[in-house]
Amino acid sequence: MTCTIYSHQSGFENIKETILLNFPKGNISLSKEDESDIIELEIKESDSTPSKKIKILYRERVEPSYQIPEINDSALTANLKGLYGFVYSLPTVNKKVKDLFLHKIETLNSEFTIIQEEGEVEELKTIIANIANELDAVLFVQPDAVISKSAGQHFLDKNLDLIIDTEGNCGIEDLDVKINSVYFDGDQNELEEDQKQRKENNEKILEEHNIKINRHLPCIESENETVTRTPKEVAQRVSALAVVNLVAFGSISPEEATDYLQTYKLWDFTTENEKEFLADPTDDKKANESWKCEGIWVLMWALNKIDTLDFPDEFCDLENINPDDYPVGQDKDPNIFIDSIDSIRSKSEILDANDLYYRFNWACVDERINGRQIEAINPGIVYERQYALNWLINYMEQDWDHVTCDT
């Protein structure tokens, strides 16, 4: 049996310690070959029983990160690029999980392959489960492995549940993407005044609504560090998004939407995921896409077309936006709307909202992890609004299809 485990964590000594703690009966030998560190374990219960042998090959990126660099600085980096392309090409029944998995692949910093060379280690499934959970790992598994969940090659999460297989099957509804704060939080001891004040103000808002506060949650970027999207970018994005959203709610057909987007030169501002949706708008995809009305609400707020975002306990109503201020409609040229936009809200206002929804989302995730449902706010609304706000501030330079809402 062979499986490959990938983790955001790296450092051979730390990984080795985790592995060895789970193989207490093994005689160990260490060696190195090219970029790989090799651990060989021989497990012998007694003199009369045959040896069982396990070989583990470990390698890591030269520069740990949360993104894959353009230059192949290591064999693992090159492998991760291939892995990303392979997963990207797979069909899927759960686009949300696939997108999260693609982002998680970018954050992977180490890889170790476990090969069962001789004999059968009965505890191997439990040991792999322990290692995967401790390292928040994802696993690439062959169909004949003791931990297999599919008849073909497939990927499992840290709980050994199916993320995706070659047929696009999925056994989970969500996938955590955790990033070491050292990569993008900066030095929290050298904060600018606007960052500290923003955190303090927003924690007061959470306190007023009896929402759990993580006092250790870092400050987001300062105004000096942030470059927001341009007014034209926001206007173009919300225009394309509004057309696609009409299909999600059944107001127009996908063919009508495609024709509209092409006629008014918005097709180039429509994302690949949106084009895929228009090509095959299933009921499940419509349900997922309908949530983007909250993103439209945020972008219209950023363009000063609505006054406030309102508290995220009730869904927005796009019909409350003045039709004269809305970018699209029957026989309406969205370019008139786009050309009229020459400003957006200040960085300060946008960052205030972004920081608040960052803290809202942490509270939602914390409740979910602990098996509870948060009552004061709607997690779906919070997620979609943070998604749009992260796009507005160029969070980690991600395009619309690949925005993440890390907590």
Side-chain angles (χ1 to χ4, degrees):
M1 185 216 82
T2 301
C3 77
T4 303
I5 301 175
Y6 296 92
S7 175
H8 179 59
Q9 299 180 40
S10 63
F12 179 62
E13 291 304 316
N14 294 332
I15 300 290
K16 180 180 73 175
E17 183 177 348
T18 299
I19 292 170
L20 297 185
L21 283 172
N22 285 280
F23 288 99
K25 299 178 181 178
N27 294 317
I28 304 154
S29 64
L30 303 176
S31 59
K32 192 172 180 65
E33 183 178 316
D34 298 326
E35 293 185 16
S36 294
D37 288 286
I38 301 171
I39 302 173
E40 292 181 277
L41 297 112
E42 182 178 9
I43 303 168
K44 193 172 178 65
E45 301 292 343
S46 67
D47 292 338
S48 60
T49 57
S51 295
K52 301 171 184 178
K53 293 183 179 179
I54 292 175
K55 186 176 184 179
I56 299 169
L57 289 78
Y58 171 86
R59 60 183 179 173
E60 63 183 41
R61 289 206 229 178
V62 172
E63 294 290 339
S65 180
Y66 60 88
Q67 294 176 315
I68 300 176
E70 293 184 11
I71 298 172
N72 290 340
D73 59 3
S74 65
L76 178 54
T77 297
N79 179 53
L80 291 174
K81 287 182 180 178
L83 190 65
Y84 186 100
F86 173 63
V87 173
Y88 186 85
S89 69
L90 294 177
T92 182
V93 298
N94 191 322
K95 182 179 175 303
K96 174 189 172 184
V97 169
K98 178 180 174 180
D99 286 346
L100 287 168
F101 184 37
L102 286 169
H103 181 52
K104 196 171 183 77
I105 291 172
E106 292 184 289
T107 73
L108 300 175
N109 287 315
S110 66
E111 168 202 89
F112 44 100
T113 302
I114 299 178
I115 305 168
Q116 194 166 243
E117 292 191 311
E118 290 184 20
E120 184 175 325
V121 180
E122 295 177 1
E123 308 91 345
L124 191 57
K125 181 176 181 179
T126 301
I127 291 168
I128 290 173
N130 290 341
I131 292 172
N133 195 269
E134 287 175 39
L135 297 177
D136 186 32
V138 293
L139 301 86
F140 179 58
V141 183
Q142 301 296 333
D144 60 348
V146 294
I147 58 173
S148 292
K149 295 291 175 68
S150 174
Q153 291 180 326
H154 56 288
F155 296 89
L156 305 180
D157 68 3
K158 66 178 182 180
N159 300 313
L160 305 189
D161 292 324
L162 180 64
I163 299 173
I164 194 170
D165 64 10
T166 52
E167 299 299 317
N169 298 308
C170 177
I172 57 177
E173 292 301 320
D174 205 353
L175 181 68
D176 285 337
V177 181
K178 297 178 181 177
I179 300 173
N180 191 325
S181 62
V182 70
Y183 298 131
F184 58 87
D185 282 339
D187 188 347
Q188 293 291 305
N189 293 316
E190 297 182 4
L191 297 169
E192 296 189 26
E193 189 58 37
D194 71 286
Q195 293 173 281
K196 292 185 285 187
Q197 192 62 56
R198 185 169 292 117
K199 181 176 186 287
E200 182 181 333
N201 292 343
N202 285 331
E203 286 180 346
K204 286 179 181 176
I205 293 174
L206 268 67
E207 194 169 9
E208 289 169 4
H209 291 277
N210 296 315
I211 296 171
K212 187 175 180 180
I213 299 170
N214 180 355
R215 302 288 181 186
H216 300 291
L217 203 62
C219 293
I220 65 169
E221 294 86 345
S222 68
E223 291 174 36
N224 288 332
E225 296 172 301
T226 302
V227 178
T228 56
R229 302 282 176 175
T230 67
K232 284 290 185 285
E233 279 183 283
V234 180
Q236 290 160 347
R237 177 88 293 268
V238 76
S239 297
L241 192 59
V243 176
V244 176
N245 201 247
L246 289 172
V247 177
F249 282 98
S251 300
I252 61 174
S253 69
E255 293 78 15
E256 289 173 308
T258 301
D259 183 62
Y260 185 96
L261 290 163
Q262 291 176 341
T263 298
Y264 291 110
K265 308 292 190 269
L266 288 177
W267 193 245
D268 289 344
F269 306 119
T270 308
T271 72
E272 290 305 311
N273 285 349
E274 289 166 347
K275 289 173 182 175
E276 289 178 14
F277 166 71
L278 293 175
D280 183 27
T282 64
D283 288 343
D284 285 344
K285 290 179 182 178
K286 284 182 177 180
N288 288 332
E289 193 64 33
S290 68
W291 278 96
K292 293 302 177 188
C293 62
E294 298 294 339
I296 294 172
W297 190 256
V298 169
L299 298 185
M300 292 296 283
W301 168 82
L303 294 175
N304 287 294
K305 299 301 182 183
I306 58 175
D307 294 331
T308 63
L309 288 179
D310 296 326
F311 197 70
D313 58 345
E314 292 186 5
F315 296 104
C316 69
D317 186 349
L318 298 181
E319 292 189 3
N320 287 336
I321 300 175
N322 187 331
D324 293 337
D325 289 332
Y326 206 64
V328 302
Q330 188 173 10
D331 299 324
K332 189 173 186 178
D333 184 350
N335 292 292
I336 296 173
F337 171 86
I338 293 169
D339 291 340
S340 71
I341 300 297
D342 57 13
S343 65
I344 61 172
R345 289 183 185 271
S346 67
K347 275 195 228 178
S348 177
E349 289 178 279
I350 292 172
L351 286 170
D352 285 349
N354 183 267
D355 181 89
L356 178 61
Y357 276 83
Y358 169 51
R359 298 179 196 286
F360 277 154
N361 196 24
W362 180 89
C364 293
V365 172
D366 182 70
E367 289 293 283
R368 187 179 74 239
I369 289 172
N370 288 289
R372 299 185 296 265
Q373 177 68 41
I374 195 164
E375 296 181 358
I377 50 181
N378 184 305
I381 296 173
V382 168
Y383 178 86
E384 295 298 338
R385 292 186 184 180
Q386 189 194 8
Y387 190 105
L389 287 161
N390 277 355
W391 180 81
L392 280 169
I393 65 166
N394 277 294
Y395 178 63
M396 295 201 296
E397 299 182 356
Q398 296 167 339
D399 61 31
W400 183 267
D401 277 348
H402 301 102
V403 172
T404 56
C405 296
D406 306 307
T407 57

